């Protein structure tokens, strides 16, 4: 089942997909164009993986890491489907990153690899933009590179784990203004989902609605104001957003 969080009729609602529309929990049906899409889950602790696809590491002239490269993201970065992402005027290279996002379903500590999927509630799509001007090296990817306001669209759907037969064999694609720019598969991750859950839970306790952004394959290109970027993951839907410049903001 595909679930969403949306704003309409003066309130925030949970909804499910029904016949191409959204059915609110009170039974009302609304068009997908009539709502403001919100992140489908309210993120708690957010873990993001750097260079978790070897082809993307090569694209950036780095070697794939021997241990997961993990950084944390703040809640200010997240926006919903059909929203706008700000590109600062002083940035010369800003690129999208289509990422399978794992949603943790319950408290997890010292989880064994073979039990990891028992702790997964579901999945969604994240587009974790990077401002490459500030990338010193792959050990320092966050803050100015990865924690900018509006720079991580997420959604549009939360999909139950039971509806995704094999999360480690899903096609990923990114389109810029309708043109295919990025294509890959989750089977090419350096560190797979069970490994990541075992690794992270060995360091700290995971809780419900913690997110794991699992990295992106090669094919990242610069995007500029006016570009429409659509990231797709097999079985999870299509997440769309638009790049806007500094002139759209007063601060």
């Amino acid at each position: 089942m595909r679930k969403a969080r949306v704003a309409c009729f003066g309130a925030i609602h949970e909804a499910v997909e029904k016949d191409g529309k959204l059915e609110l929990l009170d039974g009302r049906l609304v068009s997908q164009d009539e709502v403001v899409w919100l992140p489908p889950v309210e993120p708690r602790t957010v873990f993001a993986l750097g260079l978790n696809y070897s082809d993307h590491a090569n694209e950036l002239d780095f070697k794939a890491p021997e241990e997961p490269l993990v950084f944390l993201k703040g809640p200010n970065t997240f926006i919903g489907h059909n929203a706008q992402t700000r590109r600062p005027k002083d940035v010369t290279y800003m690129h999208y990153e289509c990422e399978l996002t794992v949603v943790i379903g319950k408290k997890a500590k010292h989880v064994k690899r073979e039990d990891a999927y028992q702790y997964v509630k579901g999945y969604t799509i994240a587009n974790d933009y990077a401002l490459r001007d500030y990338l010193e090296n792959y050990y320092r990817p966050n803050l100015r590179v990865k924690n900018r306001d509006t720079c991580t669209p997420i959604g549009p759907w939360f999909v139950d784990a039971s509806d995704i037969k094999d999360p480690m064999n899903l096609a990923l694609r990114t389109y810029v203004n309708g043109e295919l720019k990025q294509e890959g598969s989750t089977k090419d991750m350096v560190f797979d989902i069970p490994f990541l859950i075992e690794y992270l839970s060995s360091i700290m306790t995971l809780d419900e609605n913690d997110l794991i952004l699992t990295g992106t394959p090669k094919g990242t290109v610069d995007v500029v104001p006016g570009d429409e970027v659509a990231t797709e993951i097999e079985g999870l839907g299509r997440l769309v957003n638009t790049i806007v410049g500094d002139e759209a903001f007063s601060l």
Side-chain angles (χ1 to χ4, degrees), residues 46-72:
V46 180
F47 306 90
L49 271 291
L51 305 185
N52 199 33
Y53 288 75
S54 57
D55 59 359
H56 181 54
N58 292 335
E59 182 179 44
L60 299 177
D61 295 325
F62 292 129
K63 187 176 85 170
E66 297 179 2
E67 182 176 346
L69 168 60
V70 183
F71 56 96
L72 301 180

Side-chain angles (χ1 to χ4, degrees), residues 49-51 56-57 60-65 69-71 95 97 130-146:
L49 271 291
L51 305 185
H56 181 54
L60 299 177
D61 295 325
F62 292 129
K63 187 176 85 170
L69 168 60
V70 183
F71 56 96
H95 64 74
E97 294 187 0
L131 278 63
R132 282 265 296 278
D133 298 59
Y134 304 113
L135 183 64
E136 298 175 33
N137 58 63
Y138 68 83
Y139 291 107
R140 297 175 63 86
N142 58 348
L143 292 179
R144 289 193 298 175
V145 178
K146 283 288 192 176

Side-chain angles (χ1 to χ4, degrees), residues 18 30-31 33-34 54 79 99 121 133 135-136 138 148 159 171 184 189 205 211 213 229 235 238 245:
K18 184 176 182 180
V30 295
S31 167
D33 296 330
E34 292 182 78
S54 57
I79 55 176
E99 306 201 21
K121 180 164 64 173
D133 298 59
L135 183 64
E136 298 175 33
Y138 68 83
R148 297 289 185 130
V159 179
M189 287 185 197
T205 301
L211 304 182
L213 278 61
V229 181
R238 178 182 175 91

Side-chain angles (χ1 to χ4, degrees), residues 86-95 130-134 144 148 222-225 246:
R86 180 177 186 172
R87 176 181 168 130
K89 62 183 178 181
D90 62 335
V91 167
T92 62
Y93 201 124
M94 173 179 173
H95 64 74
L131 278 63
R132 282 265 296 278
D133 298 59
Y134 304 113
R144 289 193 298 175
R148 297 289 185 130
D222 187 32
V223 289
V224 297
D246 272 345

Side-chain angles (χ1 to χ4, degrees), residues 9 21 31 76-77 116 130 161 208 249:
F9 307 128
K21 294 188 175 183
S31 167
N76 58 294
T77 65
E208 184 176 7
F249 298 81

